[in-house]
């Protein structure tokens, strides 16, 4: 498809398990972002990838969270030893390049529920 | 409190009326963007206004920016039931370098337009 694709759409996991969330950005977009949205809240920045540069990880809430971007395209967000407070929608976004004012396109998100 | 705070938190109007949502922010910005979110899923970019602009129009949308007051407003004219959604403002900072696309979101305004 032409948009940002995320999988799974919904994931229910038990507390303490690891989860992986996948993001396929728009083809040709060099910038990729992960955000988190808790119920009824705004979005919280997690991590930003731009080309081959070192990612900006300043938004990751703890060392249980990590993300990779392989080959400058697909990205995986991994949450280890999930906790109930990790329950949220995880939104991936991409833009043509990392530049101020570029339009950022969001995926539909992965809804994570930790029980 | 969070950069990019919106008010009201919820707005309920009749079809055909205008809807105005406000956003305040705290730090220096390069631009301010408005997004729409249906049913808690992916965000759609509506409009971007740069810090040196005061007003911008797109179809039925009108955005104003007052950098002296660190505030913005989004006006939707002649609202339709299909405009029912959550609306978020997001600011993009001036730090450059790793700040590209690192948006700071408000908590959003829930707009309900009754047919």
């Amino acid at each position: 498809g032409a948009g940002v694709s995320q999988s799974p759409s919904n994931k229910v996991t038990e507390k303490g398990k690891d989860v992986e969330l996948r993001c396929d950005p728009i083809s040709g977009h060099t910038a990729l972002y992960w955000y988190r949205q808790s119920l009824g809240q705004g979005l919280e920045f997690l991590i930003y990838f731009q080309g081959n540069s070192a990612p900006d990880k300043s938004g990751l809430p703890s060392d249980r969270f990590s993300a990779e971007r392989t080959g400058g395209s697909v990205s995986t967000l991994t949450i280890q030893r999930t906790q109930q407070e990790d329950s949220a929608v995880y939104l991936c976004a991409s833009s043509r390049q990392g530049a101020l004012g570029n339009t950022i396109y969001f995926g539909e998100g992965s809804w994570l529920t930790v029980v | 409190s969070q950069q990019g705070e919106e008010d009201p938190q919820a707005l309920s109007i009749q079809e055909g009326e205008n809807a105005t949502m406000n956003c305040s922010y705290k730090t220096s910005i390069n631009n301010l963007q408005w997004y729409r979110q249906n049913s808690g899923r992916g965000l759609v970019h509506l409009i971007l206004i740069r810090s040196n602009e005061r007003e911008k129009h797109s179809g039925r949308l009108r955005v104003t920016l007052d950098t002296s007051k660190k505030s913005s407003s989004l006006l939707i004219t002649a609202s339709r039931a299909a405009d029912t959604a959550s609306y978020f403002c997001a600011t993009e900072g001036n730090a450059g370098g790793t700040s590209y696309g690192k948006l700071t979101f408000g908590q959003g305004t829930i707009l309900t337009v009754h047919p």
Side-chain angles (χ1 to χ4, degrees), chain B residues 18-38:
Chain B
N18 295 341
T20 300
M21 290 160 269
N22 303 298
C23 168
S24 62
Y25 59 92
K26 298 185 187 307
T27 62
S28 174
I29 63 170
N30 175 276
N31 64 75
L32 185 144
Q33 306 175 30
W34 284 90
Y35 287 82
R36 167 192 167 124
Q37 184 179 41
N38 291 345

Side-chain angles (χ1 to χ4, degrees), chain B residues 1-15:
Chain B
S1 54
Q2 199 172 11
Q3 170 99 327
E5 297 183 358
E6 286 130 277
D7 80 272
Q9 291 187 332
L11 181 61
S12 182
I13 59 174
Q14 294 296 125
E15 214 167 24

Side-chain angles (χ1 to χ4, degrees), chain A residues 8 21 33 47 58 62 75-76 91 100 103 108 114:
Chain A
L21 307 176
Y33 317 85
I47 188 168
S58 60
S62 77
S75 177
T76 303
L91 289 152
L100 287 169
T103 298
E108 291 291 298
V114 181

Side-chain angles (χ1 to χ4, degrees), chain A residues 54-105:
Chain A
D56 178 349
K57 303 179 181 180
S58 60
L60 294 178
S62 77
D63 59 8
R64 296 186 297 103
F65 288 73
S66 63
E68 289 186 337
R69 187 179 187 191
T70 54
S73 181
V74 171
S75 177
T76 303
L77 177 69
T78 301
I79 309 172
Q80 296 178 308
R81 306 181 302 282
T82 51
Q83 303 295 313
Q84 288 185 328
E85 61 263 29
D86 299 334
S87 296
V89 179
Y90 290 83
L91 289 152
C92 178
S94 70
S95 66
R96 193 182 309 263
Q97 63 184 47
L100 287 169
N102 265 0
T103 298
I104 297 172
Y105 298 87

Side-chain angles (χ1 to χ4, degrees), chain B residues 23-27 29 32 54 65-72:
Chain B
C23 168
S24 62
Y25 59 92
K26 298 185 187 307
T27 62
I29 63 170
L32 185 144
R54 292 297 166 258
L65 179 64
D66 186 336
T67 53
S68 67
K69 295 181 180 177
K70 290 187 167 59
S71 68
S72 173

